[in-house]
Amino acid sequence: MSSIPEFSEQDAKWMAKAIALAKKGRFSTTPNPCVGCVIVNDNNIVLGEGCHIKAGTEHAEVHALSQAGDHAASATAYVTLEPCAHFGKTPPCALALIDAGIKRVVIAALDINPLVAGKGVQMLRDAGIEVAQGLMATTAMELNLGFNTRMSTGRPYVVLKMAASLDGKTALQNGISQWITSPQARKDVQLERAKACAILSGSGTVLADNPKLNVRPDELPEYAASAFLCRERQPLRIIIDGKNQLHNNLRIVSDGQASLVYNLKENKTLKGDNVAQVSQTSSSSTHVDLAAMLDDLGQRQINLVWVEAGSKLAGALIENQLVDECVLYLAPKFLGGGARELLSTQVNENLEQAVAGQITSLTQVGSDIKIVCRLPKAVG
């Protein structure tokens, strides 16, 4: 039975710095994970640091090694994720650490990507490098929930955004809903969108609101805007349109940004090179198969899906246990009788049928409360 490595206060200090560096990639690394690296000598002097910015460009370890230069020999590297051991768009980072003469590597989390999955650690150890793993592993894993979910399940991490009044309503009976939440909450939604690989909605919402479903960099904090612009593309827009109601006058069709439509048969009236369709022609259902859609999105290397949908689609995702996390913005308002419900679901007969989650965050955003809740997922 292997013993847990002992880590010093200095180890914790430098790994915390590496994690802070990794967070810089939250808005730009998709479909790759966020990774940070710090290289330190025996006198606890930082020789180099870096983070992964964009898929296809240098990884965190390479940026840090480039700064350290020849001084990297006999130094310690602190990395938030196991260094890769395979040739992809860039050479293996494990090999770069070996060639630089690094003597010790401290890793927060192992990479569950089958192409790595311990191979990076083994490559380092085979080269005689001391490797210690597990320092701040949980924090490092949280940085890459989408990537890790796709690697372990084949599906993206699904975040359902909802906004409601204190009496659980989303709009007045006549449909008026702008704006229930505060300007600060709406800016926070932009920040959450910027982390996503894709933004999902239903045709009903698109027809009613004609939204762009994109990220507006001018509404992001400066640090997020500059990072998001490095990505050089908007999140993929995904629309579920089982009845082929979408038309060419909608923004998501005409603005030139990429959209992906899931339907039961091809909508031959939709035009535009930016719009792709996935038609589930073999489905015997009258509704788009949401689980099959997520499987397909996983194949397309989508790590995190941000959902902004109406009550029916939101309810279907919840009922089918396809949501990993809910983000609810709760406004200090009461919309009163006849107002529209947050979710449209089947009627439960007892409390045991209720979907129970775990609140992981509770913060005030403007005049609203932002609640983050993790939900159980369906097995299989």
Side-chain angles (χ1 to χ4, degrees):
M1 184 175 180
S2 59
S3 59
I4 299 174
E6 292 185 5
F7 298 105
S8 67
E9 290 185 9
Q10 289 299 323
D11 288 335
K13 172 184 175 180
W14 300 126
M15 186 59 76
K17 184 174 180 63
I19 287 173
L21 288 166
K23 288 181 179 179
K24 293 182 178 182
R26 288 172 295 168
F27 308 100
S28 61
T29 62
T30 176
N32 287 358
C34 301
V35 185
C37 178
V38 179
I39 296 175
V40 181
N41 67 13
D42 289 340
N43 295 319
N44 280 307
I45 296 173
V46 175
L47 304 174
E49 60 183 50
C51 64
H52 184 44
I53 299 297
K54 181 182 175 182
T57 64
E58 289 80 6
H59 291 185
E61 298 93 325
V62 175
H63 284 296
L65 288 170
S66 178
Q67 287 186 16
D70 294 339
H71 298 290
S74 299
T76 295
Y78 295 88
V79 191
T80 58
L81 188 67
E82 178 184 5
C84 59
H86 63 288
F87 284 87
K89 293 182 180 179
T90 59
C93 290
L95 184 59
L97 292 168
I98 293 168
D99 290 344
I102 291 289
K103 71 172 182 180
R104 179 175 180 244
V105 177
V106 180
I107 300 168
L110 294 178
D111 191 344
I112 64 173
N113 181 350
L115 293 174
V116 186
K119 298 181 181 69
V121 169
Q122 192 60 51
M123 182 181 289
L124 293 170
R125 285 178 173 157
D126 287 346
I129 295 174
E130 178 188 347
V131 179
Q133 184 272 323
L135 177 60
M136 301 183 183
T138 300
T139 303
M141 291 291 284
E142 284 284 317
L143 278 175
N144 294 303
L145 284 173
F147 177 82
N148 291 331
T149 299
R150 178 168 66 86
M151 286 297 153
S152 60
T153 70
R155 294 176 178 176
Y157 190 83
V158 178
V159 182
L160 173 62
K161 172 258 179 180
M162 297 183 288
S165 59
L166 283 181
D167 50 349
K169 310 296 184 179
T170 62
L172 297 176
Q173 189 176 45
N174 59 13
I176 294 176
S177 63
Q178 295 181 336
W179 296 101
I180 294 176
T181 55
S182 64
Q184 294 91 334
R186 297 197 294 277
K187 283 190 175 183
D188 191 70
V189 168
Q190 290 295 312
L191 194 63
E192 295 289 355
R193 282 184 179 184
K195 299 175 189 176
C197 303
I199 299 172
L200 169 68
S201 192
S203 58
T205 298
V206 171
L207 291 168
D209 300 337
N210 194 18
K212 291 183 178 180
L213 293 177
N214 63 0
V215 177
R216 298 186 285 275
D218 59 330
E219 294 185 22
L220 297 174
E222 184 177 351
Y223 74 90
S226 59
F228 178 76
L229 291 172
C230 289
R231 179 168 159 175
E232 298 182 330
R233 70 182 187 279
Q234 287 279 342
L236 175 66
R237 295 173 301 197
I238 305 166
I239 312 300
I240 298 175
D241 186 26
K243 297 180 180 179
N244 283 2
Q245 299 181 94
L246 298 180
H247 54 77
N248 294 313
N249 294 327
L250 296 166
R251 288 171 169 171
I252 62 156
V253 178
S254 62
D255 66 3
Q257 295 176 15
S259 298
L260 180 62
V261 177
Y262 285 86
N263 49 29
L264 297 176
K265 61 179 180 180
E266 183 183 359
N267 185 346
K268 295 183 179 180
T269 65
L270 278 184
K271 306 296 181 182
D273 294 337
N274 65 306
V275 181
Q277 299 185 49
V278 176
S279 302
Q280 297 178 346
T281 54
S282 61
S283 174
S284 59
S285 172
T286 57
H287 297 87
V288 169
D289 186 327
L290 300 176
M293 175 197 68
L294 293 177
D295 288 334
D296 183 63
L297 291 174
Q299 291 294 317
R300 295 173 186 269
Q301 294 189 306
I302 300 296
N303 290 337
L304 191 151
V305 175
W306 176 259
V307 183
E308 296 188 23
S311 62
K312 290 183 179 179
L313 177 53
L317 289 165
I318 292 284
E319 284 189 321
N320 287 282
Q321 293 182 275
L322 298 174
V323 175
D324 294 280
E325 182 174 293
C326 285
V327 175
L328 172 62
Y329 296 90
L330 203 57
K333 299 173 182 177
F334 294 89
L335 298 190
R340 299 186 180 184
E341 299 287 347
L342 189 62
L343 293 175
S344 177
T345 62
Q346 66 180 6
V347 175
N348 291 331
E349 299 295 334
N350 54 68
L351 289 176
E352 284 70 27
Q353 293 175 290
V355 177
Q358 180 180 7
I359 293 177
T360 59
S361 175
L362 186 67
T363 55
Q364 184 162 350
V365 181
S367 59
D368 308 314
I369 296 298
K370 179 183 180 181
I371 302 171
V372 180
C373 180
R374 296 271 172 89
L375 296 178
K377 291 295 290 289
V379 178

